[in-house]
Amino acid sequence: PSLEDTLLAAIRTIPDYPKPGILFRDITTLLSNARAFRRAIDELVHPYAGQKVDKIAGIEARGFILGGAVAHQLSAGFVPIRKKGKLPYETVRVAYSLEYGLDEMEMHRDGVSPGEKVILVDDLIATGGTAAAAVQLLRQIGADILAACFVIDLPDLGGRDKLEALGVPVRTLIGFE
Ligand code: 5GP
């Protein structure tokens, strides 16, 4: 089957989660499907195979699962980007706006060294607000961001354009309107 058919069959859609009117794209069914999980990771990494990639930065929480697999495949290190208050060592922090109000995310200040080549990973890009904040965080500590990779794009919400305007190439595997 094609990549698109494989992903379409493996991603579950939950109506009205977490709120009425939202169609939530659930990737736990993709993760639990061995062939689909492997296929998604292989497709995410293939443009970067053979390139020097120092670190994968994964966004809490689904970006940890995908990012860990991507890091292994590219022989790169993994760095978690977390909601505030979860990391034990000294952090750098960035505030970003959610639908209602502000939140903050952080990473360890020694997670990436200046000049290191980093790929950002999360499961899905919608408005791009989360990923743009992660880009800001990584650049605060001098990372050279090669790309941002997501399994799912919601193109109507403009996230790709937002990241590309920041100079970050975006790779996604499937789009849902
Ligand atoms: P954004 O900041 O681009 O608007 O939202 C993307 C963030 O929200 C990502 O961290 C992503 O995991 C989460 N997210 C938003 N909608 C969905 C969805 O339908 N499915 C999944 N799996 N995550 C979502």
Side-chain angles (χ1 to χ4, degrees):
S2 70
L3 173 66
E4 190 178 16
D5 288 345
T6 298
L7 295 176
L8 281 174
I11 295 164
R12 173 163 62 189
T13 297
I14 312 282
D16 300 319
Y17 182 89
K19 299 189 286 203
I22 304 279
L23 280 182
F24 190 83
R25 308 300 177 174
D26 175 18
I27 66 148
T28 64
T29 43
L30 169 67
L31 299 174
S32 68
N33 176 329
R35 295 172 69 110
F37 186 20
R38 170 170 281 280
R39 183 105 190 248
I41 298 300
D42 286 347
E43 292 287 340
L44 280 178
V45 304
H46 96 251
Y48 316 106
Q51 283 188 45
K52 178 175 147 49
V53 179
D54 297 301
K55 301 276 166 66
I56 303 302
I59 300 177
E60 184 170 2
R62 292 171 290 269
F64 292 177
I65 302 162
L66 297 167
V70 167
H72 177 77
Q73 199 115 325
L74 293 176
S75 298
F78 177 83
V79 185
I81 295 181
R82 301 207 64 175
K83 285 152 198 148
K84 68 164 186 283
K86 307 265 188 103
L87 288 168
Y89 184 61
E90 291 167 38
T91 61
V92 287
R93 194 176 273 205
V94 69
Y96 64 109
S97 45
L98 297 170
E99 211 173 331
Y100 302 104
L102 281 184
D103 207 350
E104 287 176 286
M105 62 169 69
E106 53 185 12
M107 62 183 289
H108 279 148
R109 57 184 330 120
D110 61 357
V112 172
S113 303
E116 282 192 317
K117 298 191 181 307
V118 177
I119 294 176
L120 181 66
V121 174
D122 202 358
D123 61 334
L124 176 147
I125 182 163
T127 65
T130 307
V135 164
Q136 218 184 307
L137 201 54
L138 287 164
R139 285 185 170 160
Q140 261 187 61
I141 55 176
D144 176 8
I145 304 173
L146 298 178
C149 297
F150 309 85
V151 173
I152 301 169
D153 185 17
L154 305 183
D156 299 346
L157 298 181
R160 175 187 295 271
D161 298 338
K162 184 178 223 155
L163 288 195
E164 287 178 352
L166 295 173
V168 177
V170 175
R171 175 164 179 75
T172 64
L173 301 184
I174 191 170
F176 290 98
E177 289 196 354

